[in-house]
């Protein structure tokens, strides 16, 4: 069952009961559990580009960046209202409630995500530069890793997808 999340997106219905993390996240920070090369959109992306981005059902949050700085985030729900597909995607984005910092405790973030009905948050450093993405696994017991993302990418034909060519990994 799909339900609205507090951030405007949709998630699988999540109980307020928090399952135990497997393995335990004790002592780990967001930096330890984040995906380090999430796909991003340029600030010139349009609403139509964002809709095309979300055509891949593995992508749940679009991160809009300029020179590594996080400018905004989009979830599918941000694109629900009709409007000009040529409008900047950035005009539909937001940051509030959609990011965490590198040093936050991973378990605290996992619990917060579950309680807020979210599964993704952008990760920023102290200067607002995008550092990664925390991605709560479907079972809510841990976070997706770079290896998980690479495995899904290998299974899909993303190399043939024109949207993937517009999505850029974080510049380091």
């Amino acid at each position: 069952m799909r339900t609205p999340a507090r951030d405007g997106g949709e998630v699988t219905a999540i109980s307020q009961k928090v399952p135990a993390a497997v393995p335990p996240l004790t002592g780990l920070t967001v930096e330890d559990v984040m995906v380090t090369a999430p796909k991003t959109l340029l600030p010139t992306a349009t609403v139509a580009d964002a809709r095309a981005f979300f055509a891949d059902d593995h992508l749940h949050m679009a991160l809009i960046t300029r020179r590594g700085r996080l400018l905004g985030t989009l979830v599918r729900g941000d694109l629900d209202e009709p409007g000009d597909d040529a409008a900047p995607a950035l005009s539909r984005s937001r940051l509030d409630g959609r990011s965490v910092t590198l040093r936050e405790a991973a378990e605290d973030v996992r619990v917060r995500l579950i309680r807020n009905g979210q599964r993704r948050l952008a990760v920023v450093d102290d200067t607002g530069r995008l550092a990664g993405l925390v991605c709560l696994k479907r079972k809510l017991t841990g976070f997706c890793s770079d290896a998980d993302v690479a495995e899904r990418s290998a299974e899909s034909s993303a190399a043939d997808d024109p949207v993937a060519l517009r999505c850029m990994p974080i510049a380091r």
Side-chain angles (χ1 to χ4, degrees):
M1 176 177 155
R2 305 291 285 179
T3 56
R6 190 182 280 181
D7 69 357
E10 284 189 3
V11 296
T12 303
I14 296 176
S15 157
Q16 291 301 312
K17 191 171 186 175
V18 178
V22 179
L25 299 171
T26 308
L28 298 178
T29 65
V30 165
E31 186 172 15
D32 298 320
V33 300
M34 70 182 183
V35 172
T36 61
K39 292 184 177 181
T40 63
L41 291 175
L42 296 171
T44 55
T46 64
V47 169
D49 293 331
R51 290 185 202 283
F53 178 92
F54 286 122
D56 180 340
D57 65 352
H58 290 107
L59 299 176
H60 300 277
M61 180 178 271
L63 308 171
I64 302 173
T65 62
R66 178 184 295 127
R67 287 181 234 139
R69 184 177 238 7
L70 182 65
L71 301 177
T73 66
L74 288 167
V75 295
R76 283 182 177 84
D78 294 331
L79 304 173
D80 285 347
E81 291 183 30
D84 183 6
D85 275 358
L90 195 55
S91 68
R92 302 268 187 111
S93 74
R94 61 180 251 224
L95 288 173
D96 187 45
R98 292 189 181 169
S99 66
V100 292
T101 62
L102 291 164
R103 293 187 198 103
E104 291 185 55
E107 178 62 6
D108 292 349
V109 170
R110 185 182 75 88
V111 169
R112 184 177 356 146
L113 282 165
I114 294 168
R115 290 196 173 136
N116 289 339
Q118 296 172 288
R119 294 209 15 232
R120 312 283 186 293
L121 291 172
V123 180
V124 294
D125 68 13
D126 295 336
T127 68
R129 290 185 63 79
L130 182 63
L133 178 75
V134 286
C135 173
L136 190 59
K137 289 185 175 188
R138 187 170 289 137
K139 291 184 179 183
L140 313 178
T141 58
F143 294 98
C144 299
S145 67
D146 285 329
D148 296 331
V149 172
E151 183 178 320
R152 277 193 305 275
S153 288
E155 292 171 1
S156 73
S157 59
D160 299 332
D161 181 357
V163 174
L165 299 176
R166 288 193 296 263
C167 303
M168 308 294 286
I170 298 170
R172 297 235 176 238

